[in-house]
Amino acid sequence: MSRSIRDCVEHFPLSTFAAVMGIAGLGLGLRTWGEQGGPAGLGEPVLMFAWLIFFLLGMLFIFKAVRYPAETIIDLRHPIRLNYLAAISISIVLMSMVLRPHEPVPALGIFALGASFHLIVTILVVNFWMHHARFAITQVNPAWFIPSIGNVLIPIPAVAFGFIEVAWFFFSAGILFWAILMTIVFYRILFHEPLATRVLPTLYILIAPPAVGFLAYVRLTDELDAFARILFFIALFLTVLLFTRIRGQAQIPFSLASWSYTFPLAAMSVALMEMAQLTGHMAYLWAGLTLLVFVAILVLVFLVMTVRAGIIGNFCRAEDP
């Protein structure tokens, strides 16, 4: 194995799985559009591509864990990188959602694997938070929300597979830690030095818990009640708020953190389309489709830039703390 390839494997970043989440989110958004009268099957090639990327990255992660266990343990003890372990379990759950309409039995097995793995990750992360000797407030950033996203995502396929109690369990845990982390993250943003430029894209992760939570809650209750509206409009407000700074964020150099834009915005586009279905207001549908087109552009651009960065070796070195 050449030195450059060895370095790429040894320093393979967990945050790469955010790309799987973004691509799968786009595909599921296109599938949702097809279910609501748009072009049928438009999302399936994107979802199959998400499967391919997930498989390749999964093999790299397994090889790193076996070949370089010390580097993997460093990731699992890092206050920021550890949270990206949940991106792997979330990706597994998303793959079950991708497969379910075509192969429900294998999809059920993949869902069980992803949900079980995510529960382990959540317990690992929360124990790390509770028993760590000391955190600096500057180590907190929106990436800490990633485990919470998984907990509110799991109820969507869980309801489809008939596991209602399991769905409520994960949903409750996700809402609990979303509320706690929202307070901590805003305290860090408001009263301490600004987030580093390279992690500013992770602010968009704030959109994902209420947007995905809205979709999960509607699946669980099968109605649009007051709490569902609260979740939806929190997500919508955060989306509008963050878009007011889009010009400045467009000037941020590309990094793997840039993929943080994609899944939350894809989730918001699906939430808008779901709201259109529930209320009959077409403005929500057009807003959702506009946002979905924007996500598609981001995914295409980020794919090109990720491949280019990988070729020149930008990802083949140790991540910053």
Side-chain angles (χ1 to χ4, degrees), residues 39-54:
L42 190 61
E44 301 312 307
V46 178
L47 293 171
M48 292 303 103
F49 181 65
W51 251 108
L52 174 63
I53 298 300
F54 170 72

Side-chain angles (χ1 to χ4, degrees), residues 69-246:
E71 184 67 24
T72 304
I73 291 172
I74 290 173
D75 288 341
L76 299 183
R77 291 178 176 173
H78 193 279
I80 297 174
R81 295 182 213 167
L82 171 62
N83 297 286
Y84 282 100
L85 185 63
I88 301 178
S89 54
I90 291 171
S91 295
I92 297 172
V93 172
L94 287 169
M95 292 307 101
S96 75
M97 296 170 67
V98 169
L99 195 59
R100 192 184 68 82
H102 308 290
E103 297 289 343
V105 175
L108 175 58
I110 294 169
F111 166 74
L113 173 63
S116 301
F117 183 27
H118 192 78
L119 178 60
I120 293 170
V121 170
T122 301
I123 292 172
L124 177 68
V125 169
V126 174
N127 269 300
F128 184 74
W129 292 343
M130 293 172 63
H131 302 294
H132 194 271
R134 182 176 62 87
F135 280 118
I137 190 65
T138 53
Q139 292 175 318
V140 176
N141 69 46
W144 284 37
F145 280 99
I146 297 175
S148 175
I149 294 170
N151 282 303
V152 293
L153 173 70
I154 286 171
I156 298 176
V159 169
F161 287 120
F163 300 114
I164 304 300
E165 299 304 313
V166 170
W168 276 114
F169 170 78
F170 279 100
F171 180 80
S172 301
I175 293 296
L176 170 65
F177 287 105
W178 170 54
I180 294 171
L181 288 172
M182 199 71 170
T183 304
I184 296 172
V185 169
F186 265 89
Y187 168 77
R188 184 258 184 271
I189 292 171
L190 293 175
F191 297 108
H192 294 269
E193 58 266 33
L195 291 170
T197 300
R198 62 188 173 82
V199 300
L200 282 176
T202 64
L203 283 170
Y204 278 73
I205 296 175
L206 298 176
I207 298 169
V212 178
F214 162 75
L215 295 168
Y217 184 75
V218 168
R219 299 296 189 282
L220 283 163
T221 62
D222 200 26
E223 63 176 321
L224 181 65
D225 62 13
F227 186 62
R229 290 180 183 274
I230 289 170
L231 289 171
F232 173 80
F233 284 111
I234 289 174
L236 183 60
F237 170 76
L238 290 170
T239 303
V240 173
L241 176 67
L242 290 169
F243 262 90
T244 63
R245 303 299 301 274
I246 194 69

